[in-house]
Amino acid sequence: MKDNKKQIVTIIIIFLILITILIAYMTYMLNRIEANTNNSIETIVKNDANNLKTQITEQKAILQSITNEILSDNIVDTKKIFDMYERSDVTSHFIRMAIMYEDGRTITNDGHEVDYSDEIDNFFSNNEIHISENRISKIDEEEITIYSQAISIENEKITILLIVKTESYKDTFSNKVFEGKGFSYIVNKDGTIIVSANTDKETGNLIENIEQMLVGSSRERFEANKNTIQDNIKNEVSGSRTLQTTDGQYYMVYEPIGANDWSIATFIPSKAIAGEANRALLTTFILAIIVIFIIISICIYIVISNNKKQKQLFEYAYIDPITKKGNIYYFRKKGQEMLDKEKSKENQYLLVLDINKFKMINKAYGYKTGDTILNGIGEELEQILGKQSLICRYSNDYFAVLFEYKEDIRKIVNTLVKNIENLKIDSNVYNLSVNMGIYKLTDADTNISVAMDKAIIAHSASKGDVFDKFHIYDEKMEKELEKESKIEQEMYQALMNKEFKVYYQPKMYTNSEELYGAEALVRWKHNGKMVPPSEFVPLFEKNKFILKLDVYVFEQVCSDMKTWKEKYGKEPVVSVNVSRDHFLDEHFLEKYMMIAAKYGVNTNNIDLEITESATVEAGIDIIEIMNKMKKLGFLISIDDFGTGYSSLSTLQDMPADILKIDKSFVDRIGKNEENMIDYILTMAKELKLTTIAEGVETKEQRDYLLEKGCDIIQGYYYAKPMPEEEFEEYMEKE
Ligand code: C2E
Ligand code: CA
Ligand code: CA
């Protein structure tokens, strides 16, 4: 997710850089275009000035040639002078020609007579050609410009005047290049407008007019440079300026014509300057932005879809689909990261748990509910151990949690056990049985897998334990486990090597003290030592090897019974212990039947011992199993009676034959604690059950039991469990 953001930020930065480059380029291009256009405007204006100069020079030359002709031909006659003019091909340049006399009387070629006596000084100044200011014609009130040259013929002084319409200068302007968007003026050296190329109305002083139109800082700047511009125009120097006016920005160029002290001033709006180029540039700009935008969008799309894929991959690899918590890979990865990060592991715990017989739950409720329960367990763990705890379901119904807890760990784990064993989902309550293993981390822990192994060791120690729901790891456990794993490695081999021996412990009638039968008890002759069942039966119950061992013992018993029958013509009743795990296998009795049949043993002489606690096991229909046993002819004993929690009513429903009273009750005889054994014996009699007292060691116990009517006695008082050969001797003696 972080990578995602980083990548998108990178893309946006690249985008911004590209845009900046683009804008910089555009600005540069705009400046260049402006500079180019400004240059070309200057060229155009220079050209205009030149044209005007040529026009004026030409008109001056015409006047010069006319006066030259008058002088050389010595033409005095006015009429002749006018004739010469009218015959020439220059008339198109002028409105008219006039001759002025020294008294100011002026006559024109088209028959007007005007009085210029007030301007004698202007027109008779010298023999040079003089060009007048723009002025109003006295004849027809048009704006005119007068070219004049004074000459002397035969002692008479006259001035030849050629008159042009000032307007005619307009045609020399070529600012039509800018589609008529610009303005051009001819000004005199004071800046007074002589000709306006665009409108006839524009008059007055150009500089002042400009000033009126300027806005803001442009006006201030202009103010500062005003004198320079005025001086430039006065001194016939060219120049240019950008002006910000109420109508927008203008580029102004002024250029002296080089005749008559006139200058041309042209104003082109910036809009018109950039014009076409700007549009092209803008199009390029927009296109570039679109292209960049598309590329960036594609990049972002790729990044996002890549990340989505990565997220999906992450989920496949690390998320448990049922609980939506991590799986074992996630747990190892994250857990390791946490161990690496945090130097102090104080108050850190690793908890491992599983649900007992989860397969049965799946079978009973269906897989969908099974999944709901697993999910519920995940939620419960998070609820109690906190959101920061690292939770994973690492296989089937196994969970692992790495969490921190500062108070008494037993308290919170007890809560956890209680809540999980009475798991509430929506309004349903599921009764589960859970076992947990807890490992308290130390600062020396650097490897998550090693820490987890320790929690698993603690868990195995508690596994299947109905009372101790959780174990906290200690080093002894590991040794214990090592021992167990060694046994597990050796048990199959031991079975094949016939290391398991069946011992028989005689059972005697209490009153006659004659042999009733025996209980078959297994021993393991391991490395020359006789190992008692207490050291391996609990483990074999856990790992189910007991199923194989029981069958092995049963077959051995049948084989022995066959021998005895052949030898002595009769068989004693022999009881065998049947572990409760057999009851989960529907066909276990068929197997037993086949073995009994194989040796020709009468099942009436075989007693199957079922512990009382096995009869109350959830999920087993013990009555049905017992009925089946009875049908096949077996006797049934309830073993270790008094230690389980069966009620009288359940006992009543059971088709059992014998009640084996647990040794703990026999031990209380003679200690004023006989009330329980008395009660059991009375009850058994009522239910018409044969009673056997286990673990009878003293005469006192035997006498008491005789007195109370206990039918059979088994215990060291008569004999310890013994090998088959010894038991044979025992039988013979009896
Ligand atoms: P259990 O079925 O209650 O067997 C009776 C136990 O009491 C035997 O211990 C026996 O040696 C012992 N015992 C009998 N009389 C006395 C006495 O007077 N004093 C004392 N202190 N003990 C006496 P053992 O042989 O060590 O067997 C222990 C348990 O192992 C058995 O208890 C039974 O639950 C289990 N076990 C033994 N053999 C098998 C087997 O083949 N299959 C199964 N599933 N369990 C077996
Ligand atoms: Ca037994
Ligand atoms: Ca017993």
Side-chain angles (χ1 to χ4, degrees):
M1 279 298 90
K2 261 186 209 157
D3 287 354
N4 192 359
K5 259 190 204 147
K6 240 192 235 165
Q7 283 167 329
I8 289 183
V9 166
T10 314
I11 292 172
I12 289 173
I13 289 172
I14 291 173
F15 176 75
L16 292 178
I17 290 172
L18 285 176
I19 294 287
T20 315
I21 291 173
L22 188 66
I23 289 174
Y25 173 74
M26 301 302 291
T27 323
Y28 166 76
M29 283 310 283
L30 275 175
N31 283 339
R32 272 202 52 180
I33 289 172
E34 199 180 301
N36 276 345
T37 348
N38 287 353
N39 269 343
S40 62
I41 293 169
E42 279 158 33
T43 316
I44 287 165
V45 174
K46 267 201 178 83
N47 226 25
D48 283 357
N50 256 336
N51 287 343
L52 208 59
K53 188 180 172 184
T54 312
Q55 195 179 340
I56 291 170
T57 316
E58 205 177 275
Q59 287 166 345
K60 270 167 86 176
I62 291 169
L63 181 58
Q64 187 69 58
S65 73
I66 288 173
T67 50
N68 280 351
E69 211 174 320
I70 294 171
L71 285 174
S72 66
D73 292 356
N74 220 355
I75 308 169
V76 194
D77 183 41
T78 316
K79 177 125 187 3
K80 271 187 182 159
I81 293 172
F82 285 147
D83 270 355
M84 184 190 76
Y85 166 71
E86 274 161 13
R87 263 187 282 115
S88 78
D89 53 1
V90 298
T91 50
S92 62
H93 291 273
F94 307 98
I95 313 173
R96 56 179 69 89
M97 185 191 203
I99 298 169
M100 184 178 172
Y101 298 98
E102 274 177 295
D103 57 357
R105 190 174 52 94
T106 305
I107 52 169
T108 70
N109 69 313
D110 53 351
H112 297 286
E113 191 175 323
V114 230
D115 182 15
Y116 272 132
S117 52
D118 52 336
E119 288 199 70
I120 288 170
D121 287 348
N122 277 336
F123 294 124
F124 283 93
S125 55
N126 52 44
N127 288 344
E128 289 293 293
I129 291 177
H130 172 262
I131 306 170
S132 78
E133 301 278 284
N134 182 38
R135 55 165 63 223
I136 305 295
S137 165
K138 289 187 178 180
I139 297 165
D140 46 21
E141 302 203 326
E142 274 209 77
E143 285 191 22
I144 52 167
T145 303
I146 301 171
Y147 292 75
S148 61
Q149 188 172 26
I151 47 171
S152 309
I153 309 167
E154 296 177 348
N155 295 328
E156 196 183 358
K157 244 186 165 182
I158 58 165
T159 295
I160 308 295
L161 309 170
L162 283 174
I163 295 113
V164 292
K165 240 195 213 174
T166 313
E167 268 274 315
S168 68
Y169 295 126
K170 232 182 186 176
D171 299 336
T172 46
F173 292 112
S174 53
N175 77 341
K176 284 175 185 82
V177 183
F178 292 100
E179 298 158 355
K181 283 177 188 140
F183 302 94
S184 285
Y185 304 94
I186 297 170
V187 294
N188 69 9
K189 59 177 162 189
D190 304 326
T192 309
I193 295 168
I194 294 169
V195 180
S196 161
N198 308 80
T199 54
D200 300 326
K201 285 168 202 117
E202 198 95 31
T203 50
N205 188 286
L206 183 70
I207 307 291
E208 278 155 25
N209 287 0
I210 293 169
E211 228 177 331
Q212 291 301 311
M213 286 183 70
L214 292 179
V215 285
S217 60
S218 183
R219 176 180 282 214
E220 282 158 33
R221 264 181 279 131
F222 185 74
E223 217 69 63
N225 290 295
K226 192 168 125 185
N227 291 339
T228 326
I229 296 171
Q230 274 171 338
D231 286 354
N232 280 349
I233 289 175
K234 188 170 272 163
N235 299 326
E236 297 179 54
V237 177
S238 61
S240 66
R241 258 205 102 63
T242 303
L243 306 167
Q244 202 68 46
T245 77
T246 45
D247 279 358
Q249 188 176 290
Y250 281 86
Y251 187 60
M252 167 199 182
V253 180
Y254 52 92
E255 179 73 36
I257 293 166
N260 216 18
D261 307 335
W262 288 356
S263 286
I264 286 181
T266 292
F267 296 76
I268 308 290
S270 296
K271 265 188 266 170
I273 297 172
E276 203 54 40
N278 266 359
R279 267 191 293 281
L281 215 55
L282 191 70
T283 317
T284 318
F285 183 72
I286 290 170
L287 277 178
I289 294 244
I290 290 173
V291 168
I292 291 173
F293 188 78
I294 289 172
I295 291 172
I296 295 290
S297 301
I298 290 172
C299 286
I300 289 178
Y301 173 77
I302 291 171
V303 166
I304 287 175
S305 66
N306 254 356
N307 273 305
K308 229 186 194 163
K309 247 181 242 153
Q310 247 167 347
K311 210 176 134 193
Q312 261 169 5
L313 280 178
F314 175 83
E315 285 196 357
Y316 283 137
Y318 286 128
I319 301 297
D320 165 40
I322 291 175
T323 59
K324 302 277 178 279
K325 307 260 183 292
N327 61 15
I328 185 64
Y329 305 109
Y330 184 68
F331 188 80
R332 283 208 198 111
K333 185 175 181 284
K334 275 274 156 196
Q336 191 58 52
E337 279 171 20
M338 279 158 91
L339 286 197
D340 292 344
K341 209 171 66 195
E342 273 168 55
K343 288 283 159 280
S344 163
K345 275 104 188 175
E346 211 190 342
N347 303 322
Q348 300 260 30
Y349 294 90
L350 211 161
L351 178 147
V352 164
L353 71 84
D354 90 309
I355 303 301
N356 291 315
K357 308 227 163 66
F358 195 75
K359 264 195 208 118
M360 300 290 290
I361 288 163
N362 270 337
K363 238 187 199 167
Y365 296 108
Y367 282 93
K368 228 178 128 190
T369 310
D371 288 354
T372 313
I373 289 172
L374 289 174
N375 184 55
I377 293 170
E379 294 300 317
E380 200 62 48
L381 287 169
E382 188 174 287
Q383 177 92 35
I384 292 174
L385 300 178
K387 266 209 178 321
Q388 303 91 303
S389 53
L390 179 62
I391 302 170
C392 89
R393 184 178 76 102
Y394 68 90
S395 77
N396 303 324
D397 55 319
Y398 283 76
F399 286 83
V401 191
L402 183 63
F403 65 101
E404 193 180 349
Y405 193 66
K406 294 199 171 88
E407 285 152 54
D408 179 12
I409 189 73
R410 287 170 187 277
K411 233 169 89 190
I412 196 167
V413 175
N414 273 323
T415 315
L416 205 56
V417 168
K418 208 181 81 203
N419 285 21
I420 290 178
E421 296 211 322
N422 302 290
L423 190 69
K424 220 170 158 180
I425 299 168
D426 299 329
S427 53
N428 304 321
V429 176
Y430 298 94
N431 285 310
L432 309 172
S433 163
V434 74
N435 281 108
M436 301 181 182
I438 293 141
Y439 172 60
K440 188 176 194 308
L441 279 89
T442 68
D443 290 356
D445 281 304
T446 52
N447 187 314
I448 188 73
S449 297
V450 173
M452 190 153 165
D453 284 345
K454 290 182 173 171
I456 289 173
I457 286 169
H459 177 251
S460 336
S462 101
K463 178 120 186 78
D465 200 323
V466 208
F467 303 105
D468 251 351
K469 286 298 181 180
F470 63 90
H471 281 210
I472 295 175
Y473 173 88
D474 68 54
E475 248 136 64
K476 265 187 277 162
M477 249 171 214
E478 204 156 359
K479 296 226 169 69
E480 188 63 31
L481 219 74
E482 264 168 38
K483 215 168 93 188
E484 287 190 350
S485 89
K486 207 166 155 247
I487 294 178
E488 287 185 323
Q489 279 165 24
E490 292 167 342
M491 60 194 186
Y492 289 98
Q493 198 60 43
L495 194 64
M496 282 200 326
N497 295 348
K498 297 200 161 44
E499 287 181 22
F500 293 103
K501 305 283 179 218
V502 177
Y503 274 39
Y504 294 94
Q505 185 177 31
K507 292 173 187 164
M508 315 298 282
Y509 286 111
T510 317
N511 45 17
S512 65
E513 296 197 299
E514 283 171 9
L515 182 72
Y516 158 75
E519 177 176 4
L521 294 158
V522 73
R523 299 287 179 269
W524 184 357
K525 197 177 175 187
H526 192 47
N527 300 333
K529 251 185 17 204
M530 231 11 124
V531 186
S534 57
E535 288 195 19
F536 56 87
V537 167
L539 173 64
F540 290 174
E541 278 174 345
K542 229 184 331 184
N543 65 26
K544 311 285 182 245
F545 187 68
I546 195 73
L547 297 172
K548 286 194 163 46
L549 188 60
D550 277 356
V551 170
Y552 175 82
V553 169
F554 183 75
E555 179 154 8
Q556 195 59 52
V557 167
C558 289
S559 152
D560 288 345
M561 284 174 86
K562 188 184 174 210
T563 316
W564 299 332
K565 196 174 179 184
E566 283 164 6
K567 263 193 181 166
Y568 311 109
K570 67 168 188 178
E571 344 161 281
V573 175
V574 178
S575 66
V576 290
N577 292 288
V578 179
S579 170
R580 61 173 168 214
D581 289 308
H582 290 287
F583 306 149
L584 297 171
D585 174 11
E586 295 171 50
H587 304 292
F588 102 94
L589 277 173
E590 287 155 35
K591 217 171 351 184
Y592 273 53
M593 260 321 278
M594 264 161 63
I595 294 167
K598 178 175 160 193
Y599 293 93
V601 176
N602 186 352
T603 51
N604 289 326
N605 293 325
I606 298 176
D607 178 1
L608 302 177
E609 290 195 12
I610 303 166
T611 57
E612 187 196 8
S613 60
T615 64
V616 290
E617 186 88 355
I620 299 172
D621 188 350
I622 193 71
I623 311 250
E624 196 196 305
I625 293 167
M626 285 181 165
N627 281 332
K628 219 164 157 188
M629 287 174 172
K630 285 308 315 168
K631 234 184 143 170
L632 296 170
F634 291 107
L635 287 168
I636 301 170
S637 288
I638 308 293
D639 197 2
D640 301 344
F641 189 80
T643 59
Y645 297 92
S646 60
S647 65
L648 197 59
S649 65
T650 51
L651 198 60
Q652 220 164 3
D653 296 335
M654 285 180 194
D657 304 288
I658 301 156
L659 214 60
K660 291 191 80 178
I661 302 165
D662 192 69
K663 183 174 184 296
S664 55
F665 299 101
V666 175
D667 288 344
R668 290 176 194 170
I669 295 172
K671 290 177 185 161
N672 264 339
E673 290 173 33
E674 298 89 356
N675 51 347
M676 262 315 278
I677 201 164
D678 292 353
Y679 170 71
I680 293 170
L681 286 168
T682 325
M683 185 189 76
K685 213 164 277 167
E686 253 166 54
L687 294 172
K688 302 207 165 48
L689 292 167
T690 305
T691 45
I692 299 182
E694 286 190 285
V696 176
E697 292 178 343
T698 64
K699 183 160 177 350
E700 190 194 357
Q701 289 168 341
R702 182 251 158 194
D703 291 345
Y704 185 85
L705 290 163
L706 175 68
E707 190 196 320
K708 294 288 168 182
C710 177
D711 304 307
I712 299 162
I713 281 175
Q714 176 186 349
Y716 295 176
Y717 176 67
Y718 290 109
K720 287 192 174 181
M722 56 190 79
E724 193 267 332
E725 315 84 62
E726 260 179 56
F727 183 62
E728 257 184 50
E729 283 171 30
Y730 196 88
M731 278 195 291
E732 275 170 31
K733 221 168 53 196
E734 290 293 319

